[in-house]
Amino acid sequence: MAVTNEEDETIVIVVPITHSSPHSDDTHIEMPAATCRRLGLDDQRSWIVVAEMNKFVWPGPDLRRIPGNDSLWHYGDIPPKLFEQIKAGVQKCQAAGQLKVSNPD
C-alpha cells in the first residue's frame, strides 16, 4: 500500500521477504520459484512474512536499486493469486493479534 503524506512523501507499507525458514506456516507464505525467477530474485527459497509489516518513506534506507538499472527500485508485480494469499494471511495474523507493524517515525 502507498499513500502521499502532507510533505508530499510516498509512505509505503510492505511485508518482508526472507530466506529464513519459517517458524510457523501461519505467519509465512512461500514464494513460488517461478515468481522469484520472474522478479529476478536468487534461487534460494523465499518466504513472505505475513505477520510483519514495515512502514516507511519510499524508497527507504534499506532498499537498493535494481542491479544494472539505477532508475528502478522495484522488481515487478506479484501474481494476483499470491497477492490474495498475502492479504488473507495478513488479515488472519491481525485477527489473531500476531501482526507487528514497524514504523521508524
Side-chain angles (χ1 to χ4, degrees), residues 36-37 70 99:
C36 291
R37 278 192 301 276
D70 287 342
L99 184 62

Side-chain angles (χ1 to χ4, degrees), residues 34-64:
T35 299
C36 291
R37 278 192 301 276
R38 186 178 55 75
L39 295 176
L41 303 178
D42 60 34
D43 291 336
Q44 295 182 43
R45 292 174 71 185
S46 296
W47 287 268
I48 300 161
V49 185
V50 294
E52 295 178 23
M53 298 181 89
N54 300 317
K55 180 179 176 182
F56 57 90
V57 175
W58 183 264
D62 295 330
L63 299 179
R64 305 291 179 266

Side-chain angles (χ1 to χ4, degrees), residues 21-93:
S21 297
H23 300 290
S24 167
D25 289 337
D26 292 337
T27 60
H28 292 69
I29 297 171
E30 186 166 6
M31 287 187 65
T35 299
C36 291
R37 278 192 301 276
R38 186 178 55 75
L39 295 176
L41 303 178
D42 60 34
D43 291 336
Q44 295 182 43
R45 292 174 71 185
S46 296
W47 287 268
I48 300 161
V49 185
V50 294
E52 295 178 23
M53 298 181 89
N54 300 317
K55 180 179 176 182
F56 57 90
V57 175
W58 183 264
D62 295 330
L63 299 179
R64 305 291 179 266
R65 294 180 200 252
I66 294 176
N69 189 335
D70 287 342
S71 66
L72 293 177
W73 292 92
H74 63 86
Y75 285 74
D77 296 326
I78 58 171
K81 183 178 175 183
L82 180 57
F83 177 80
E84 291 301 322
Q85 288 179 293
I86 295 166
K87 188 168 93 173
V90 168
Q91 290 170 336
K92 184 177 179 181
C93 287

